[in-house]
């Protein structure tokens, strides 16, 4: 049984790293407790909650410079229906486009976090992003995401290595919020 569990975790981790998309949007955490699956790593869960709070503050500020400390220089945002942003210049362009057009308010939930053997962490979140247009004539937009972020600890702070975005529906967002533990 232990061998099967190890194989499943390895397959799931490979699947997560290669397939699941994540959000290039912000997230405001509304977190009560760490999921049962990771109570043993509650400290990491707390660090990820704090990280998400910083992400939200940067994103909602609309200031690209506030997003810079959150990303490795070689980071990537793989966004749905948008070109992949690679490196800080690409990521700054990615955020500049959104920040120029919209002000965002975000409702995000840290679902789970997993520490990988190589020291990286995989963060699973849900987010609802309310976008208020800055220009007259544009309509407000609400988007829902299942997010996956791969982070690296640089010795001073966690930074995003890969940010993958998977849009979802309001119904699935609400259903996923009720699932604890996440997986």
């Amino acid at each position: 049984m232990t061998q099967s569990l190890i194989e499943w975790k390895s397959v799931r981790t490979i699947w997560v790293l290669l397939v699941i998309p994540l959000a290039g949007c912000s997230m405001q955490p509304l977190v009560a407790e760490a999921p049962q699956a990771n109570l043993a790593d509650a400290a990491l869960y707390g660090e990820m909650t704090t990280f998400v709070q910083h992400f939200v503050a940067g994103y909602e500020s609309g200031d690209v410079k506030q997003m810079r400390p959150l990303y490795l220089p070689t980071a990537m945002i793989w966004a749905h229906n948008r070109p992949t942003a690679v490196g800080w210049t690409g990521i700054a362009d990615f955020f500049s486009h959104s920040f120029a057009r919209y002000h965002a308010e975000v409702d995000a939930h840290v679902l789970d976090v997993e520490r990988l053997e190589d020291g990286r962490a995989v963060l699973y979140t849900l987010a609802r992003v309310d976008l208020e247009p800055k220009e007259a004539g544009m309509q407000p937009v609400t988007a829902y995401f299942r997010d996956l972020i791969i982070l690296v600890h640089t010795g001073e702070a966690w930074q995003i290595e890969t940010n993958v975005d998977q849009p979802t529906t309001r119904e699935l967002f609400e259903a996923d919020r009720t699932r604890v533990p996440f997986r």
Side-chain angles (χ1 to χ4, degrees), residues 44-104:
L44 178 62
Y45 192 88
E47 290 175 35
M48 292 299 113
T49 300
T50 299
F51 179 86
V52 170
Q53 290 170 341
H54 290 289
F55 192 100
V56 168
Y59 194 85
E60 288 184 344
S61 77
D63 181 1
V64 172
K65 292 176 187 174
Q66 288 193 34
M67 301 303 292
R68 176 66 191 100
L70 304 171
Y71 287 87
L72 290 171
T74 58
M76 174 184 79
I77 297 175
W78 185 19
H80 182 74
N81 284 337
R82 289 185 65 185
T84 301
V86 179
W88 176 244
T89 301
I91 291 168
D93 289 344
F94 178 91
F95 286 119
S96 294
H97 176 75
S98 296
F99 292 172
R101 299 180 70 199
Y102 297 98
H103 170 73

Side-chain angles (χ1 to χ4, degrees), residues 109-171:
H109 304 265
V110 175
L111 296 175
D112 202 358
V113 62
E114 181 177 353
R115 189 182 304 270
L116 303 178
E117 290 180 17
D118 64 4
R120 294 182 300 161
V122 179
L123 173 62
Y124 304 89
T125 65
L126 288 175
R128 184 189 78 228
V129 181
D130 296 314
L131 299 169
E132 185 65 36
K134 292 182 176 180
E135 297 176 24
M138 294 176 60
Q139 296 297 313
V141 176
T142 298
Y144 298 89
F145 297 93
R146 291 174 169 165
D147 302 325
L148 172 115
I149 304 170
I150 301 169
L151 299 115
V152 173
H153 200 281
T154 63
E156 295 181 22
W158 288 99
Q159 289 186 301
I160 295 172
E161 176 182 69
T162 305
N163 186 353
V164 186
D165 151 22
Q166 180 185 14
T168 191
T169 64
R170 178 178 167 244
E171 293 77 18

